[in-house]
């Protein structure tokens, strides 16, 4: 009988471990995967990382994300969630411990969502275009990047950082969805500038944005998850070379 009780407790423990297990299917070089890792680390959530080969995606990934067939996919309680922004909101709503990645106040939450979405829709693709192109096409893309950054400088910072009169302050305890999105786009801006040989973020033109990104880079969680600088340079060089060879 005593053994039966022990077996029952072991089974309960195993069931609990399965129920609470968190698995992230992603790629170490993907900014979208890094978003989820940042959110999980900020919440102190243990997780298993599954490195996916994006040239030969696993059947598990295709089963979990049959619509877009892309990373990242978070699996919790055996249930998959896809699309990075939705995953982060799921994490924030499911695990109430740690910092709130979205403000509890509805108005402030709407502003964080708005600017995270603005960066995603209006800045992400054009920054990638700067890396992937050259000549006049690159110049046009870079001009557009600077225009979008000026919009964030003039209009975004005062709404994102309304508690500090628009002065960017970021810590492990205050990092939000919009910080995460900006981090995974322009955190490695110095590597971008070195590889491309041009200036993307000018501290004289967008001092607030410049200060914001550097504040993000100084947080412990970003430092812990950042790849070595030389590795980032190599990833960018390979990505650029492959993109130019296809054009």
């Amino acid at each position: 009988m005593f053994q039966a009780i022990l077996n029952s407790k072991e089974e309960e423990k195993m069931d609990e471990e399965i129920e609470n297990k968190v698995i992230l299917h992603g790629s170490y070089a993907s900014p979208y995967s890094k978003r989820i890792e940042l959110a999980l680390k900020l919440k102190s959530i243990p997780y298993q990382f599954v490195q996916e080969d994006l040239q030969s995606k696993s059947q598990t990934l295709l089963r979990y994300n049959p619509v877009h067939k892309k990373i990242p996919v978070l699996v919790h309680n055996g249930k998959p969630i896809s699309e990075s922004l939705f995953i982060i909101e799921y994490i924030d709503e499911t695990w109430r411990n740690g910092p709130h990645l979205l403000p509890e106040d509805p108005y402030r939450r709407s502003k964080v969502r708005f600017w995270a979405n603005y960066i995603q829709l209006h800045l992400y693709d054009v920054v990638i275009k700067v890396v992937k192109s050259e000549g006049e096409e690159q110049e046009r893309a870079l001009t557009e990047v600077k225009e979008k950054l000026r919009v964030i400088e003039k209009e975004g910072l005062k709404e994102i950082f309304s508690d500090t009169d628009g002065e960017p302050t970021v810590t492990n305890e205050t990092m939000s969805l919009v910080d995460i999105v900006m981090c995974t786009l322009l955190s490695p801006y110095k590597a971008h500038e070195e590889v491309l040989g041009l200036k993307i973020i000018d501290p004289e033109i967008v001092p607030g944005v410049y200060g914001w990104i550097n504040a993000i880079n100084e947080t412990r969680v970003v430092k812990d998850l950042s790849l070595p600088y030389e590795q980032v340079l190599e990833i960018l060089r390979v990505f650029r070379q492959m993109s130019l060879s296809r054009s």
Side-chain angles (χ1 to χ4, degrees):
M1 183 176 178
F2 180 69
Q3 186 61 45
I5 292 173
L6 286 178
N7 290 342
S8 176
K9 287 184 177 180
E10 284 296 322
E11 288 175 2
E12 288 178 5
K13 184 178 179 182
M14 288 176 64
D15 289 342
E16 184 178 347
E17 288 177 353
I18 292 171
E19 182 180 347
N20 293 323
K21 191 169 185 179
V22 177
I23 303 171
L24 173 60
H25 290 259
S27 169
Y28 73 91
S30 165
Y32 297 99
S33 293
K34 186 177 178 181
R35 288 178 180 179
I36 312 309
E37 288 202 87
L38 284 167
L40 291 169
K41 292 284 188 182
L42 286 166
K43 291 281 191 176
S44 300
I45 302 166
Y47 64 97
Q48 176 187 345
F49 186 88
V50 177
Q51 173 70 28
E52 289 283 348
D53 180 352
L54 302 186
Q55 304 305 315
S56 179
K57 297 168 186 174
S58 71
Q59 290 302 309
T60 303
L61 174 66
L62 299 179
R63 185 174 73 253
Y64 281 147
N65 190 1
V67 177
H68 297 301
K69 301 177 174 62
K70 293 180 179 180
I71 58 166
V73 172
L74 186 79
V75 184
H76 179 225
N77 293 342
K79 299 176 182 178
I81 307 100
S82 56
E83 297 297 312
S84 61
L85 297 185
F86 300 147
I87 295 173
I88 293 173
E89 292 210 27
Y90 175 86
I91 290 170
D92 199 40
E93 292 170 1
T94 302
W95 287 275
R96 304 305 292 171
N97 58 293
H100 294 296
L101 305 179
L102 284 148
E104 293 194 277
D105 175 73
Y107 181 74
R108 289 194 59 221
R109 185 163 62 245
S110 73
K111 292 301 180 182
V112 166
R113 279 188 175 131
F114 175 88
W115 287 105
N117 197 52
Y118 180 88
I119 294 167
Q120 176 66 38
L121 293 179
H122 298 281
L123 196 56
Y124 243 82
D125 286 347
V126 73
V127 168
I128 298 300
K129 187 180 288 186
V130 172
V131 179
K132 293 170 64 174
S133 61
E134 57 187 346
E136 291 184 4
E137 184 181 2
Q138 186 185 56
E139 289 178 12
R140 287 194 298 270
L142 182 60
T143 298
E144 188 174 351
V145 167
K146 291 182 177 181
E147 289 172 356
K148 303 302 182 187
L149 290 177
R150 280 195 288 268
V151 171
I152 295 171
E153 177 81 20
K154 184 178 178 181
E155 304 295 339
L157 295 181
K158 62 187 178 185
E159 293 188 344
I160 296 167
F161 299 101
S162 57
D163 289 349
T164 57
D165 297 323
E167 184 67 29
T169 56
V170 186
T171 67
N172 272 35
E173 290 70 36
T174 64
M175 187 174 286
S176 72
L177 171 68
V178 69
D179 298 311
I180 290 173
V181 173
M182 179 58 93
C183 170
T184 53
L185 176 62
L186 286 175
S187 174
Y189 74 92
K190 290 182 181 178
H192 282 84
E193 293 178 345
E194 182 171 339
V195 169
L196 299 173
L198 49 79
K199 200 76 171 173
I200 295 176
I201 303 174
D202 191 330
E204 294 186 4
I205 297 174
V206 286
V209 171
Y210 179 82
W212 180 21
I213 294 170
N214 282 289
I216 290 170
N217 284 342
E218 286 301 310
T219 60
R220 185 176 66 257
V221 66
V222 171
K223 287 182 176 180
D224 288 346
L225 283 175
S226 293
L227 296 173
Y229 185 73
E230 290 301 322
Q231 190 173 354
V232 176
L233 288 176
E234 183 60 23
I235 290 170
L236 286 171
R237 288 190 184 111
V238 170
F239 177 72
R240 177 168 169 77
Q241 288 168 3
M242 290 176 61
S243 301
L244 291 175
S245 66
R246 290 172 184 163
S247 59

